[in-house]
Amino acid sequence: MGTDSHAAGALLARARTLHLQTGNLLNWGRLRKKCPSTHSEELRDCIQKTLNEWSSQISPELVREFPDVLECTVSHAIEKINPDEREEMKVSAKLFIVGSNSSSSTRNAIDMACSVLGVAHLDSVIIASPPIEDGVHLSLEHLQPYWEELENLVQSKKIVAIGTSDLDKTQLEQLYQWAQVKPNSNQVNLASCCVMPPDLTAFAKQFDIQLLTHNDPKELLSEASFQEALQESIPDIQAHEWVPLWLLRYSVIVKSRGIIKSKGYILQAKRRGS
């Protein structure tokens, strides 16, 4: 792995942006860890395996080019949706904002997901609550810039329906009253509350908002965990220079049968000061 790691390290030392795509995890075969115990463990494993596979396939031409943007993929796992089958598929995504205060991250993530999957739009996008400082209560002001960008994407027909995650009744009500495009769903982490809060249930029923459950940790990907995965895969770099901006997890489900046809992760990171 030494030469691979040196080439990858040289590219990362010059690049400004890293796009990491796992492709369809169902196509990973031997790369796939049989039973990751948590979403965080699965994600970390995916990041490391994707980096390792990409490192092993770096061409001399790429090293000579030193591109500003590195496309880090598991090439054999990339799978676009057959246009003839698009109407039979539901394409859903959950977007996690990690290290960026820029609402443009939202559009970048959706555009990249559409490109990776070969589709014109996503059927459903849920945005996880954006990162806030410890001790600060999530407010409508924190959500507004991201929600406005999602509304723009709905209006430009890039997304059909948009939803939220981990909002309580007050937060969901404030967003609903303010938003032009209303949330059609809200995810609730049952690990933190065991049962659906009655006030949230009543509000959601009144305004036809679907309540879904999830078991994602509060912080699926942190700056530190990304840098650790990067450093372990490619020792010849200054991993602390790289900051993940956003993470998108997608799934493609056959509507008539409820079978998962494809799932994977897409991530964007930037080098500090670039």
Side-chain angles (χ1 to χ4, degrees), residues 81 89-91 117 250-254 259-262:
I81 295 173
M89 306 294 165
K90 180 177 181 182
V91 185
L117 295 169
Y250 65 84
S251 63
V252 179
I253 296 174
V254 182
I259 294 172
I260 296 176
K261 183 176 174 64
S262 176

Side-chain angles (χ1 to χ4, degrees), residues 13-25:
R14 298 277 288 272
R16 299 181 178 210
T17 304
L18 173 68
H19 293 155
L20 186 144
Q21 305 167 27
T22 64
N24 183 0
L25 296 178

